[in-house]
């Protein structure tokens, strides 16, 4: 029943591209002007216009013409990897990154893009290893450590989640940090500490919806249905159409034997796409009509 703590704070695709493409200005221009330079300029224009297929072809001409004998041509390998990633060709993007990173092992963006590729491929171990490599370049970076904590969460390594998030909290606390901590506490059989973490998240931002959802979920799991309702009522004030909050509230109302109210909100959740509500409707609601 507990919702996943993953997925919050992820960058939009456009923002990802802006960050990743910044390498074109971060890398030095090495060597004299080469004949392939005009193709690179044209490719950069195509990429900025999000015409990724055209950019890939032009970067390919740069790579073929230069034969990568000039180190100044390697940024085109990276930027082609960005373009491949942008159109979902993950394996092609990874191959380009394997060419680029050895030439520029100290450039953080290469590892960040590689991490996005592994994330989308669902390879958690490779993703964690890539984030660890990025942390060698930028030790102690809170954003990278938070990302790694999310990977540990998906891997069920809750002690490691705690270690990373306590470090981040000491530097810059926010509701997401507290939510990660709360999720880890709960999975380490410390429900009181989990609820306290969610309350701290709410203190930091009273509009942070996940904290109310997790607080409601944890309370339901512990049989504290009145407390669950308090969290879920606020969640639904923040987002009246949130089907997870509707479902959890319906479950809490069922447990409190307020079945008329429960059936109403469970029906709403079910017809909005919350399939788990169907089992409760069958057991507690449809029988009322028979």
């Amino acid at each position: 029943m507990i919702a996943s703590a993953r997925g919050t704070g992820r960058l939009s695709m456009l923002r990802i591209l802006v960050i990743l493409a910044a390498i074109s200005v971060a890398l030095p221009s090495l060597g004299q002007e080469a004949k392939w330079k005009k193709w690179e300029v044209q490719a950069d224009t195509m990429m900025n216009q999000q015409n990724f297929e055209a950019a890939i072809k032009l970067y390919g001409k740069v790579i073929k013409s230069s034969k990568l004998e000039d180190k100044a041509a390697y940024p085109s390998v990276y930027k082609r990897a960005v373009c491949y990633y942008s159109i979902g060709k993950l394996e092609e993007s990874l191959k380009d990154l394997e060419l680029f990173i050895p030439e520029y092992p100290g450039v953080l963006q290469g590892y960040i893009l590689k991490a996005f590729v592994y994330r989308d491929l669902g390879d958690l171990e490779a993703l964690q290893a890539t984030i660890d490599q990025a942390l060698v370049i930028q030790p102690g970076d809170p954003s990278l450590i938070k990302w790694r904590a999310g990977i540990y969460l998906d891997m069920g390594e809750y002690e490691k989640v705690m270690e990373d998030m306590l470090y981040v909290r000491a530097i810059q606390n926010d509701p997401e940090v507290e939510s990660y901590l709360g999720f880890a506490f709960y999975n380490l059989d410390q429900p009181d500490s989990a609820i306290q973490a969610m309350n701290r998240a709410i203190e930091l931002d009273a509009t942070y919806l996940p904290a109310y959802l997790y607080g409601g979920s944890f309370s339901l799991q512990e049989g504290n249905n009145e407390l669950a309702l308090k969290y879920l009522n606020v969640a639904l004030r923040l987002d009246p159409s949130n089907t997870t909050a509707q479902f959890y509230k319906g479950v809490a109302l069922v447990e409190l034997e307020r079945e008329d109210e429960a059936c109403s909100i469970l029906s709403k959740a079910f017809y909005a796409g919350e399939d788990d509500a169907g089992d409760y409707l069958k057991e507690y609601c449809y029988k009322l009509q028979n």
Side-chain angles (χ1 to χ4, degrees):
M1 182 178 295
I2 300 174
S4 172
R6 304 288 296 118
T8 57
R10 283 186 177 172
L11 300 174
S12 68
M13 175 62 70
L14 182 58
R15 189 175 169 206
I16 289 170
L17 292 175
V18 169
I19 292 171
L20 296 178
I23 195 165
S24 62
V25 297
L27 292 174
S29 178
L30 302 176
Q32 297 181 349
E33 192 75 10
K35 62 180 182 180
W36 47 260
K37 205 64 178 169
K38 63 179 181 181
W39 292 324
E40 184 182 39
V41 173
Q42 292 170 5
D44 290 347
T45 300
M46 291 296 100
M47 184 171 72
N48 290 334
Q49 294 175 358
Q50 299 189 36
N51 187 346
F52 300 117
E53 296 280 5
I56 287 168
K57 291 179 181 178
L58 287 164
Y59 286 131
K61 292 178 72 173
V62 171
I63 293 164
K64 184 177 180 179
S65 177
S66 69
K67 299 179 182 178
L68 297 179
E69 293 174 351
D70 184 345
K71 191 169 182 177
Y74 273 90
S76 288
V77 178
Y78 171 81
K79 289 181 283 188
R80 188 173 69 173
V82 173
C83 293
Y84 276 135
Y85 175 79
S86 302
I87 61 174
K89 293 188 175 181
L90 303 180
E91 296 293 347
E92 289 87 342
S93 180
L94 194 57
K95 288 177 182 177
D96 275 352
L97 290 169
E98 295 294 352
L99 281 176
F100 172 79
I101 289 174
E103 293 296 320
Y104 286 95
V107 173
L108 181 64
Q109 288 99 322
Y111 299 99
I112 298 299
L113 178 56
K114 191 176 182 181
F116 279 120
V117 172
Y118 281 133
R119 182 200 67 184
D120 291 357
L121 287 171
D123 190 336
L124 294 179
E125 291 186 1
L127 174 54
Q128 180 209 320
T130 303
I131 296 298
D132 285 341
Q133 290 173 325
L135 282 165
V136 172
I137 299 170
Q138 202 153 303
D141 181 272
S143 297
L144 291 174
I145 292 176
K146 186 187 289 188
W147 191 354
R148 185 174 66 182
I151 300 165
Y152 285 144
L153 199 63
D154 287 339
M155 296 171 72
E157 298 280 356
Y158 302 115
E159 294 284 1
K160 292 180 179 178
V161 175
M162 293 285 298
E163 182 178 350
D164 275 355
M165 285 293 93
L166 289 173
Y167 170 84
V168 173
R169 186 170 73 176
I171 298 173
Q172 53 178 52
N173 200 15
D174 62 41
E176 188 177 24
V177 170
E178 292 295 346
S179 293
Y180 274 59
L181 283 169
F183 214 81
F185 275 128
Y186 195 83
N187 283 280
L188 291 170
D189 297 321
Q190 300 180 51
D192 290 342
S193 295
I195 290 293
Q196 289 170 11
M198 294 309 161
N199 289 339
R200 285 193 297 269
I202 292 167
E203 289 173 5
L204 289 166
D205 183 357
T207 66
Y208 186 65
L209 180 63
Y212 296 101
L213 295 177
Y214 301 148
S217 178
F218 298 159
S219 299
L220 281 176
Q221 293 289 320
E222 297 304 306
N224 193 339
N225 300 300
E226 292 287 359
L227 180 59
L229 272 183
K230 291 179 180 179
Y231 285 118
L232 298 168
N233 283 334
V234 178
L236 287 168
R237 285 200 293 272
L238 292 172
D239 182 4
S241 64
N242 188 286
T243 58
T244 300
Q246 291 170 353
F247 171 55
Y248 286 174
K249 181 175 179 178
V251 174
L253 289 168
V254 164
E255 295 298 327
L256 291 168
E257 299 183 354
R258 293 161 58 178
E259 292 184 350
D260 288 344
E261 296 174 72
C263 292
S264 175
I265 197 163
L266 286 169
S267 294
K268 187 183 296 185
F270 178 73
Y271 288 112
E274 189 69 43
D275 292 339
D276 288 342
D279 292 335
Y280 281 86
L281 287 170
K282 289 177 183 177
E283 183 172 357
Y284 295 100
C285 301
Y286 296 159
K287 69 175 184 178
L288 298 179
Q289 302 171 6
N290 293 333

